[in-house]
Amino acid sequence: MKILREGDRGYALAPERGRVEIVYEYLTVELEKSQATVGNVLVGVDAETGEVLTVPAQSTPKLN
């Protein structure tokens, strides 16, 4: 598993836009099902829109 850090860049698939560049940032994330918020989670964010597109494997334990 590759360990990602804040500021790392990559690519992800965005709905209706295809492959877009992302940058990894620490954000507060609201979970859809439980409506709980979790702070300081590393996520992949669309570099243009700021939309959260991916959660790296290293962040999933924090969200569980």
Side-chain angles (χ1 to χ4, degrees):
M1 171 173 72
K2 180 179 178 182
I3 302 298
L4 296 165
R5 299 173 194 195
E6 188 170 31
D8 285 353
R9 293 185 173 270
Y11 293 92
L13 294 177
E16 300 177 11
R17 293 183 291 137
R19 187 174 184 228
V20 296
E21 185 177 16
I22 59 169
V23 61
Y24 288 93
E25 299 177 2
Y26 283 97
L27 298 176
T28 298
V29 176
E30 183 175 339
L31 304 177
E32 289 180 17
K33 289 185 180 179
S34 66
Q35 300 299 314
T37 56
V38 182
N40 205 27
V41 178
L42 186 67
V43 293
V45 177
D46 186 323
E48 290 183 17
T49 66
E51 177 185 13
V52 175
L53 295 177
T54 185
V55 177
Q58 69 199 50
S59 294
T60 55
K62 193 168 193 176
L63 295 174
N64 289 332

